[in-house]
Structures are given as C-alpha cells and as structure tokens.
Amino acid sequence: MFFVDTLEFEGLGNRSYLAGGAAAAVVVDPPRDIDRVIAAAARRGVRIAYVAETHVHNDYVTGGLELARVTGAHYLVPAAAHVSFARTPVADGDTVDVDEDLVLRAIATPGHTPHHTSYVLEEDGRGAAAFTGGSLLIGTVGRPDLVEPRLTERLARAQHASAHRLAAELDDEVPVLPTHGFGSFCSSAQFGGEATTIGKERTNNDALTLDVDTFVQRMLAGLEDVPAYYAQMGPANAAGPAPVDLTPPRRADAGEIASRLAAGEWVVDLRSRLAFAEGHVAGSFNFEGEGKLATYLAWLIPWGKPVTLLADTPARIADAQRELARVGIDRPAAAATGDPATWVGEGEQLASFPRARFADLAQARDRGDDVVVLDVRRDSERAGGYIDGSVHIPIHELHGRIGEVPHGTVWVHCAGGMRAAIAASLLDAAGRDVVAVDDGFDAAAEAGLSLTSG
C-alpha cells in the first residue's frame, strides 16, 4: 500500500507532497523550511529516498537541494533545466523505484516552464497519483508567462498539449496533485476545490474542453500582473538556495526601531489591522501575519531592503520569519514583541487612523466631505464593478504611486479589508489622512454607493 501526505502552505497557495510505501518515500516540490518535511517522514517512519522538482520554481525558494543533502536522497530535477548544482537529471519516461512495487515515472509536461516535468506514482504498474506541479491544476493550468515574454504563447500551447497528454495516459480515477493553484499567482486562473482527478479535469478544465486556439486566447486574456519578487525566485533556485536560518532575530528596542525607520528601512507590524489602526509606530507598515504575508510583503518591498518585524508574541515573529524565508527574505534585521507602547520612545505617542464601513463612506459623501475613494483591487476585480469617481491603483503599485493619490482624506478599500489595511498603512506613513474601509465590497451597493460595471 502506498500513501500520499499533503503539506499545505496557504500563504503562498502551494502544496508539497510526501509519498511512498512502508520503508521509503519521495518528496515532490519541497518548501524552503525542510524541517516540516523531515518531521512528516519521521511520523510515517520512512526514509526520504528521492526529492523531485517538477520545475525551477518562480514563486518560492525551494528546499529541495538542502533536503537532498541532509537526507542523502537523490535529487531529481528536469534534465533541461539550467541549474548550477549537481543533481540527478530526469527526462521523459525515466523511472525510479521508490519502494517495493512503487515506481515514480517522469512525464514531460512543458508549458508552465519549458522544462516542466510531472511525475506519476505507479503501484504494481498502474497509475496511483499524478504530481502535476504547475501543469494540470484544479480547473485550470499554470500560467505560461513567467519565463520569457517571447515564449508565452508557445508555452500556452504547450500547456494545452501537456494537459491532453496527461489525460490520455492516465485513468479517470487517478488523483491530480498539483503544487500550485490554491491561491497561488502561478495559477493562470483561480478555481475552487481542494481535490480532483483526471476524470473531473477531463470535463471541467478549459485545457481539456476547448480547442487549442480558443484555450490560448482565453488564457492569455486572463493573465494578471506577476508579483515583482518572482523575478528573484527562478535565479535563486537555479543557483542552489542556501540553507535557511530560522533562529530568532535580534531584539529591537524603541531607539533601534526609530533609527531603522530614519534610515529608510521597513518596519513591518504583523498585528491585526484592527490593532494596527488603533495604535502603531508612525512610519511602520501593516502586513497581517495571518494574511498573505509573504506574497504581499515580498511583492511591495524593494528587494534587499532590511525589514524589522513587530508583533504581539515571539511565536508570531517565528511564523512570519518562516513564511518570509520561503520567498527569500531570509533574516529580519531585528524584531520586537509585546506592548506597542514600548516600541516608541518615552513621551512619544503611537499613531492611529480610523476604520469604517461602506455605509460610513456613503454618509461622508452625502455630507459633502472632501473624500477621495481609493480602490486597491486588481484590474480583474475592478472590471466587475467599482465605485463611481473612485481612483484605482492596485495595491502592488501603490508604494511607488502615492504621489498620484488626489488631495483630501483617502478612504481606501479592497474586496475584504486586508489589502486596504496595507494600503492605509502606506498612506499613513506618507503623511496622508486616511480611513481604512474594512468591509466586503458587496456592501458598497447595499450602502447606496453608485457603482459602474466594467
């Protein structure tokens, strides 16, 4: 009997897998923090014999090289991938024996990247699970535009062909186990669902239900901006990432926090948006530790800029440090926890700004207040409807475009509140009067605000 254990990383929208038999296992697309993988193998009582990469990842730093070094496992990497370290190159059709009666077979599935490779776990010669990486996802496929703009259409066509190859070679009941697609920006579209099979994808996935020209046209039209930090991930993975250091960062007192802010460094407050709005260090930014911390902080911060973390507890700092290491933000410059009043000097006050609902915004407009409505959602979200007269700057562009925000009190909103809180902190740090709208966008129409569609 075989097993497959799933390791989820919700902040990045990815999954890794530990799969094997009674004695040995393979790890597919491991995270940077390999201790979680090693612990999972220990719970199963199996030896990690192989570590397999489906592709050189563009959205996170892999732990594959280090995991293979620590465990002595063979490191399987697509043969066509250009990397700077020793590995076991894998080509289409190659197989390895994972455990008794368990074979891992490589299937070339270019599209997400030119060298992308899926792996099928076979038990007694029958397909038991398909690890599809960034190829066939739940209801969609991995985006083809992360490698080189000139290759995008060609890779989109390859995605279509790869999906059809998987569907042709595997039985309907074979589980499809992708790495991306659970909120990851590596997915070409966002679909719900936690599990799928070849059979389900055969009837639900555009790559398998549309002709190639229609599929490519529809996919390319739906692609959105790529997180800026993706440009750093591929080269880091190709070079061979260094081991991760998760030891606690140095403790910062109020004086050091102030000096780091004065030096232009980033001080990031991980507390809830409610707590941040009520009182925070002036000039600090709010990225909630329970939100998509790694994605949005790595997207917005100038790459290589030192970051100091503030949080309620050391545990929150540790969680954030682990998540940030997965995208190459390795060592916080410093950290502070506890009472926010201790993060500012004696006699200094914490800064604050108000939070509101869309109903409050409607009332402010009715009163004739000097209101600027700032929408920080993505283009595709705004296309579904927006508040009349609102200014649109997507959250990932705001830090460099604050000067474009008109004068007046800025009421900033997104779809639910998290991104609005980030934006409000950026505006507050820039000295703007801001109100963070902490509300679901559906409430805008209910509050009587006039909306424009498309």
Side-chain angles (χ1 to χ4, degrees):
M1 290 293 294
F2 73 96
F3 72 87
V4 177
D5 289 343
T6 301
L7 287 75
E8 295 192 50
F9 304 94
E10 294 182 3
L12 294 176
N14 286 329
R15 291 178 177 178
S16 299
Y17 300 94
L18 173 73
V26 58
V27 178
V28 181
D29 290 342
R32 181 83 179 281
D33 46 327
I34 62 172
D35 56 324
R36 281 192 59 185
V37 182
I38 293 172
R43 288 192 296 270
R44 282 284 186 180
V46 295
R47 173 177 60 90
I48 296 176
Y50 295 94
V51 177
E53 301 282 10
T54 57
H55 60 295
V56 174
H57 302 281
N58 288 288
D59 64 327
Y60 70 93
V61 180
T62 181
L65 183 63
E66 179 65 2
L67 181 60
R69 184 189 71 81
V70 168
T71 63
H74 296 280
Y75 191 23
L76 310 179
V77 178
H82 297 290
V83 296
S84 302
F85 48 82
R87 87 284 198 203
T88 300
V90 177
D92 184 47
D94 286 351
T95 61
V96 296
D97 295 325
V98 176
D99 201 68
E100 185 176 359
D101 299 323
L102 278 181
V103 171
L104 191 72
R105 176 167 63 94
I107 299 180
T109 49
H112 186 48
T113 67
H115 60 266
H116 191 284
T117 300
S118 298
Y119 299 93
V120 177
L121 187 67
E122 299 177 339
E123 184 179 40
D124 296 326
R126 292 179 60 90
F131 302 100
T132 55
S135 186
L136 190 64
L137 311 184
I138 299 179
T140 184
V141 294
R143 58 192 301 168
D145 60 331
L146 301 181
V147 176
E148 161 61 52
R150 292 171 297 179
L151 297 178
T152 297
E153 182 174 348
R154 185 190 314 172
L155 289 177
R157 292 180 178 276
Q159 277 289 52
H160 187 271
S162 292
H164 279 264
R165 182 181 179 189
L166 289 169
E169 294 195 13
L170 300 173
D171 295 335
D172 280 353
E173 66 270 18
V174 174
V176 174
L177 304 173
T179 299
H180 306 311
F182 309 95
S184 168
F185 282 91
C186 266
S187 176
S188 62
Q190 297 302 324
F191 283 82
E194 291 296 309
T196 192
T197 63
I198 289 292
K200 290 179 181 178
E201 293 309 303
R202 200 186 302 278
T203 58
N204 297 325
N205 196 306
D206 280 357
L208 296 172
T209 60
L210 300 176
D211 67 85
V212 62
D213 290 333
T214 304
F215 166 77
V216 170
Q217 181 182 22
R218 186 173 296 182
M219 183 209 281
L220 298 186
L223 294 175
E224 298 194 82
D225 290 345
V226 177
Y229 70 92
Y230 277 26
Q232 312 295 329
M233 301 296 96
N237 287 324
V244 66
D245 180 2
L246 296 177
T247 57
R250 57 173 288 161
R251 182 178 179 277
D253 59 16
E256 181 171 356
I257 293 170
S259 66
R260 291 191 176 278
L261 282 169
E265 297 181 9
W266 277 38
V267 174
V268 172
D269 192 325
L270 303 169
R271 294 176 302 146
S272 73
R273 53 187 182 260
L274 171 60
F276 183 88
E278 289 181 344
H280 57 269
V281 177
S284 63
F285 302 138
N286 182 214
F287 290 80
E288 290 181 304
E290 294 184 353
K292 291 179 102 35
L293 169 66
T295 294
Y296 285 105
L297 178 55
W299 198 341
L300 270 66
I301 192 171
W303 197 253
K305 178 81 71 173
V307 59
T308 293
L309 301 177
L310 310 178
D312 307 84
T313 65
R316 174 63 69 196
I317 296 291
D319 289 345
Q321 186 176 349
R322 177 180 291 271
E323 188 168 351
L324 292 174
R326 293 172 185 154
V327 293
I329 301 177
D330 280 1
R331 291 294 300 164
T337 60
D339 184 353
T342 65
W343 301 341
V344 295
E346 187 175 352
E348 297 180 4
Q349 299 295 314
L350 294 170
S352 64
F353 53 76
R355 297 163 59 250
R357 301 289 186 181
F358 281 111
D360 302 312
L361 172 59
Q363 292 175 7
R365 276 189 157 186
D366 289 342
R367 289 193 303 267
D369 294 355
D370 185 14
V371 168
V372 176
V373 179
L374 176 63
D375 181 349
V376 296
R377 296 175 300 159
R378 296 189 300 275
D379 291 343
S380 62
E381 295 173 285
R382 186 169 171 88
Y386 58 89
I387 298 172
D388 288 351
S390 61
V391 177
H392 181 225
I393 302 178
I395 182 63
H396 58 276
E397 299 178 9
L398 180 59
H399 188 243
R401 297 178 58 188
I402 286 180
E404 299 177 27
V405 180
H407 296 294
T409 299
V410 184
W411 291 62
V412 59
H413 79 86
C414 59
M418 182 194 73
R419 288 171 293 173
I422 296 172
S425 70
L426 297 176
L427 291 159
D428 178 72
R432 297 299 302 271
D433 291 329
V434 63
V435 178
V437 178
D438 194 358
D439 207 354
F441 188 70
D442 289 346
E446 296 172 4
L449 290 165
S450 180
L451 302 184
T452 298
S453 297

